[in-house]
Amino acid sequence: NHLSTCANSFMITFSQKIRTTILNEGRDLLLQSDYHKTIRVGVNVNDKKKCNRPSYWEDINVEKDDMSVFLLHECAISTVASDLMNLCIKTMDTAVTIDFKCHKDLERLLPHMLYRSAHELLDVYRGVIPSMYGNEIATIPRTAAILHNDFVFFAHQMLGLGLKYKERFPVVNGDHESPIKCTFVDLVPIFRELAERTMSDMIKYQMHQLSEIVKPRITYIREALRSNEGVVEWTDAETAIEAGIYHLRHLSKSWQTTLSYDVYGRTMGNLVDTLFSFYLDEVLKVQDMSEPACHFVGSLFRNAIRGSVDLFDMNQNPVEAQKEAARYCNVWNKFIAVGKFMNMSIAEINMALSEGTFRFCTGQELSRLVTAVYADSDKRRTLLRLLANH
């Protein structure tokens, strides 16, 4: 009886052994390979969009028949992820090409077991890599970016992998189609969510880093802007913004060659917004500002813009870098407008309003600045009434 049972279950045991062998190979690949080695994959969508594009598209920011959303944007992924994907494809190839003449039971068992193994290889990745490199992923920008890209890569591959093999699985017992419902689409939302969470957590971590660098040095800047001469708080504010930009440049070196063009732009734009907002929040709440302080703030903001625009100089000229900075940073134009305000007279402000220079600032914010900077006069009251009506 025991021998008969073993004989009857031999094919099931054989199929399970193959599955175990494949999963062990995948696990060893994850545990023994260097996760920090990367290769580039995907399409350089940004360069392709620039080819043969009418100049007016730049102004209206519209892409005609833009299909780039369906492409994997060029980025760096770990060789571990690439090798695991190759193992997954190899397993699926075996499932649809293996010769079953030796035993018909294998035709029923093995393809399904191989499909299941390919599916589970990706689950092994989700379990092993975040556990092995958890501390690095939480604190080291490049490692977090690589993991994010790996998840995006897997999500993109899973969209079409099942369709590639679905019709190639063997038909059993004369059925019209294979009983195996080959699909990997169920993994797509999981990988996308993991990618978003990985990068979001890193951005929050870097925002906290910026806050620790900048905020302690600008605690008293609001009161210091009343001074008619340079004070230590002004120097601290300059040092803080230089330190913040230096930190962002360090991040840029890690991310620019790793993340895709668009993800890098949005990530860096988010952090530049955070840095600029620290200063905007202070300046826009000032109740009294001296003329020397206005010149100081104007100079501070100009230097910050010059230092930050380099972060978006992704193999482009300075004009293009300015456009990209304005595209990815929500407060970029507002920061520039407030900086310009500091060196304007009331007449110049009126002119700038008609030209749209301050369209990114609210009437309340401008009114607060006008009240803080200019002494009471007929011109100031006229300007405040104008701002109150808009």
Side-chain angles (χ1 to χ4, degrees):
N1 288 336
H2 180 68
L3 183 61
S4 176
T5 302
C6 288
N8 290 335
S9 63
F10 175 77
M11 290 303 166
I12 296 175
T13 305
F14 176 72
S15 299
Q16 289 175 341
K17 176 64 175 178
I18 291 178
R19 168 178 167 266
T20 302
T21 301
I22 292 170
L23 293 180
N24 284 338
E25 184 180 349
R27 184 199 62 188
D28 291 343
L29 175 67
L30 298 175
L31 293 176
Q32 297 172 13
S33 301
D34 182 3
Y35 187 70
H36 303 93
K37 289 177 64 178
T38 60
I39 60 170
R40 298 197 69 78
V41 295
V43 180
N44 192 328
V45 174
N46 186 63
D47 284 352
K48 282 188 172 294
K49 284 183 178 181
K50 288 182 177 180
C51 298
N52 303 318
R53 180 166 62 177
S55 59
Y56 64 81
W57 282 13
E58 296 286 348
D59 299 325
I60 61 177
N61 197 27
V62 171
E63 301 291 350
K64 185 178 180 182
D65 299 327
D66 185 6
M67 303 294 285
S68 64
V69 67
F70 299 108
L71 298 173
L72 175 64
H73 293 211
E74 185 180 24
C75 61
I77 66 168
S78 67
T79 55
V80 171
S82 177
D83 292 343
L84 190 74
M85 193 68 234
N86 290 335
L87 178 59
C88 184
I89 292 171
K90 177 184 173 183
T91 303
M92 292 299 292
D93 285 338
T94 304
V96 298
T97 59
I98 194 169
D99 185 1
F100 298 105
K101 291 179 181 179
C102 59
H103 205 294
K104 283 296 179 182
D105 282 349
L106 274 179
E107 191 172 16
R108 178 174 57 86
L109 295 172
L110 194 54
H112 182 273
M113 193 63 74
L114 290 169
Y115 160 62
R116 178 183 169 187
S117 301
H119 206 285
E120 289 175 334
L121 280 172
L122 299 161
D123 292 330
V124 172
Y125 178 92
R126 288 194 292 127
V128 171
I129 296 299
S131 299
M132 280 185 66
Y133 299 96
N135 187 55
E136 282 190 45
I137 291 164
T139 57
I140 299 178
R142 185 175 182 271
T143 307
I146 291 171
L147 183 67
H148 166 273
N149 292 348
D150 284 355
F151 286 144
V152 171
F153 170 72
F154 284 134
H156 182 79
Q157 293 293 322
M158 294 307 102
L159 284 171
L161 187 62
L163 294 173
K164 181 179 177 182
Y165 293 97
K166 186 175 182 180
E167 302 299 329
R168 298 170 59 189
F169 274 98
V171 175
V172 181
N173 298 329
D175 292 341
H176 294 295
E177 60 180 29
S178 170
I180 300 173
K181 306 301 179 186
C182 180
T183 180
F184 292 84
V185 175
D186 57 307
L187 293 173
V188 173
I190 296 172
F191 279 124
R192 285 178 174 171
E193 182 184 351
L194 287 169
E196 183 177 350
R197 189 193 309 163
T198 300
M199 213 60 208
S200 295
D201 288 348
M202 177 50 66
I203 290 172
K204 289 176 185 176
Y205 177 74
Q206 295 304 328
M207 285 179 174
H208 178 69
Q209 294 282 88
L210 283 172
S211 178
E212 289 188 334
I213 291 169
V214 175
K215 278 198 168 183
R217 294 170 174 170
I218 61 171
T219 305
Y220 304 107
I221 188 63
R222 203 181 304 177
E223 292 77 14
L225 291 176
R226 298 181 181 186
S227 175
N228 283 307
E229 58 184 14
V231 291
V232 67
E233 287 81 3
W234 293 11
T235 305
D236 287 344
E238 282 183 310
T239 303
I241 205 161
E242 288 171 2
I245 292 171
Y246 177 83
H247 182 74
L248 293 180
R249 284 177 178 162
H250 180 72
L251 290 176
S252 177
K253 289 178 181 178
S254 297
W255 283 342
Q256 200 168 47
T257 57
T258 307
L259 294 170
S260 67
Y261 184 96
D262 190 57
V263 173
Y264 170 82
R266 285 186 282 120
T267 302
M268 194 54 64
N270 211 313
L271 294 176
V272 170
D273 280 345
T274 300
L275 177 61
F276 285 2
S277 293
F278 291 150
Y279 286 83
L280 285 172
D281 289 346
E282 296 296 330
V283 171
L284 292 174
K285 292 176 183 176
V286 169
Q287 295 181 345
D288 185 17
M289 190 183 303
S290 67
E291 185 176 345
C294 287
H295 295 316
F296 163 73
V297 172
S299 174
L300 183 71
F301 279 31
R302 282 194 304 276
N303 291 336
I305 289 293
R306 279 197 292 267
S308 301
V309 76
D310 293 342
L311 300 170
F312 301 91
D313 186 14
M314 295 171 272
N315 300 319
Q316 302 179 104
N317 59 53
V319 175
E320 287 294 324
Q322 282 273 3
K323 289 181 180 179
E324 293 300 272
R327 174 186 168 196
Y328 287 113
C329 300
N330 293 326
V331 302
W332 184 268
N333 290 311
K334 183 177 183 177
F335 196 80
I336 291 175
V338 172
K340 288 180 178 178
F341 176 96
M342 295 300 159
N343 295 308
M344 288 183 175
S345 64
I346 290 180
E348 289 171 332
I349 292 171
N350 277 302
M351 181 66 69
L353 282 170
S354 64
E355 294 172 350
T357 302
F358 300 112
R359 63 185 179 276
F360 300 98
C361 302
T362 65
Q364 187 178 16
E365 289 169 339
L366 288 174
S367 295
R368 216 181 271 136
L369 280 175
V370 169
T371 303
V373 172
Y374 299 102
D376 187 29
S377 65
D378 291 339
K379 288 184 179 180
R380 191 184 85 161
R381 286 192 289 272
T382 302
L383 178 56
L384 289 173
R385 281 196 297 271
L386 176 64
L387 292 172
N389 293 328
H390 289 79

